[in-house]
Structure formats: C-alpha cells, structure tokens
Amino acid sequence: MQPRCSPEMQPYSRDAAEVEPRCSGGGVEPRRRRWAAPLRTPPLTPPAPPSPPARVLSVPALLSLPLATSMVHAEPETALALFKAASLTAVAVFAGGPVLLAPAVVDVFGARDATAIYGRLWMMLPAANFFGATLVSRVREYSYSKHALAIAETCDEAAFTATFGAPPAEAQSLIASKTATLPLLLTIAPEGTVDPSPLLYDDAFYTLAGFSALACVCNLAAYRLPRPLRL
C-alpha cells in the first residue's frame, strides 16, 4: 500500500513552484521543474520626436490673411495674390489633417487600440465643426458691430437721425437689429471714410490662428508622452 502524501506534500502547480513533490514507495521524491520565463513589462519610453507638423504652416498662413485684407484698397492685385496663397495653404493643411489622423494614432498609441481611439476622434469632428462655425460667426458679428459703431460716431447727428429715425446714441441697438448697416452708414459718413468690409474677418483669422497654434502644441505634446513599446 503506497503512502498518502500529506497536504503539505501535495503537488504544486507547475507555474507556481520550482520543486514539485512526488510520492513514491520510499517517501517523497522531489522533482525539478523548469521556471517559465518571466514576462517583462516594456519600459515607458517617449517616441522619437517628430519633425515639425505641417499644421504649423496654418499659423503664418492665417496670420497673412489680415495682412492681405489691409492691402485691398492700396494694392488690390498684391492683396488678391497673397490672399489666394494664404487661403490655399490653410485649406490644404486643414484638409490633410483627417487623412493623417489614422497613421498618427497608430504611431502615438500603438496599433492595438488604434481603431477605438480613431473612432472616438471622428465622433468629436461634428462637435468641432459646430463649435468652430459658431465661434467664427460670433467673432464676425463682433467685428461688424465694432466697425459700424466706429463709422456711426463720425456721422453727422442730423443726417444719422434723418436716415435711421433715431439719434446716434441708439446706434448699438440699430446695428444689432440690422437697421443700421455698413452700406447705409457709408452713405452718410464723412467723405474719405474707408469701407471696412474687407476687414470684417480679421478678428476671425486671428482667432483661428490662435487655435491652430494651440493644436500644434498639443500635437507635439502628444508625441512626447511616455508610452509602452508599440503593440
């Protein structure tokens, strides 16, 4: 009759112990087991710093647009050429962003979760489009009111009252209600008043340039975040 092993002598799991006891007629005989190679956690290392992203080009391009609009009255041909070149550069950069989004996600976060991350990023695009369009519209309205008020302050009080049926003190409410518009104000403005219509989007261009610069900073910061080796 073979001796029974005590609970202390029960065999261990092959993965849990180096020595696995074995019962025999003469007692317990140890049997050597090989250790499994331990899993090594890859070190957190930042990826190689990328070359300057093409999005950087959108910042000087957007800042060149107000320069072009300021030259409309003095040098219209030069202003048009500069506006075309700056617009083409900005549009090309923004259009190329979604195309490079997928490989950028793989490069930064690895291929294992790239599909889920890419899907979440695409879910944010409608919100970004709505927010951007709303912001540009609000900035343009602010610029319109600013230029219209500046012209209203130079208008003759009698001519202003005769044209809009209210004194210049109510110019803000008249502009907000679209009763006093830039074309009407220019008809009663002093001679030599410059039409500010080409300048209405300057503040919007500056705002977009600021957000584009912020996007460049976030892009570079994402590449410098420590992460495991690419999966």
Side-chain angles (χ1 to χ4, degrees):
M1 182 175 180
Q2 295 183 354
R4 300 178 60 183
C5 295
S6 62
E8 293 81 2
M9 297 181 182
Q10 292 299 323
Y12 288 89
S13 171
R14 293 184 178 181
D15 298 332
E18 180 183 6
V19 179
E20 179 181 355
R22 183 177 57 181
C23 295
S24 63
V28 178
E29 177 186 354
R31 183 173 59 183
R32 295 284 179 176
R33 307 300 299 180
R34 293 184 177 180
W35 279 92
L39 294 178
R40 296 182 179 180
T41 304
L44 295 177
T45 55
S51 57
R55 187 176 292 276
V56 175
L57 298 177
S58 64
V59 178
L62 290 170
L63 293 177
S64 300
L65 293 175
L67 176 62
T69 57
S70 64
M71 301 167 57
V72 168
H73 297 289
E75 303 177 19
E77 294 182 359
T78 304
L80 180 59
L82 179 59
F83 192 90
K84 286 181 177 179
S87 300
L88 179 62
T89 302
V91 171
V93 171
F94 288 122
V99 178
L100 298 177
L101 189 59
V105 168
V106 175
D107 189 31
V108 175
F109 302 103
R112 184 180 62 182
D113 300 322
T115 303
I117 296 174
Y118 187 66
R120 293 181 181 180
L121 291 176
W122 268 102
M123 290 176 60
M124 296 299 299
L125 288 181
N129 292 335
F130 174 79
F131 175 76
T134 303
L135 178 64
V136 171
S137 299
R138 295 290 178 86
V139 173
R140 195 262 183 189
E141 291 177 1
Y142 166 79
S143 181
Y144 188 97
S145 299
K146 179 179 67 175
H147 289 290
L149 283 174
I151 296 178
E153 292 176 355
T154 64
C155 296
D156 181 70
E157 183 176 355
F160 188 93
T161 304
T163 303
F164 302 108
E170 300 181 10
Q172 180 68 48
S173 60
L174 293 173
I175 295 172
S177 63
K178 308 298 183 182
T179 302
T181 61
L182 280 178
L184 291 177
L185 288 170
L186 288 172
T187 59
I188 60 175
E191 186 177 355
T193 301
V194 178
D195 184 5
S197 297
L199 311 177
L200 294 181
Y201 286 94
D202 285 359
D203 293 335
F205 293 145
Y206 288 129
T207 303
L208 291 177
F211 277 101
S212 186
L214 179 61
C216 293
V217 173
C218 294
N219 191 313
L220 293 175
Y223 271 91
R224 296 184 181 276
L225 289 175
R227 62 178 176 83
L229 297 179
R230 186 178 304 173
L231 300 177

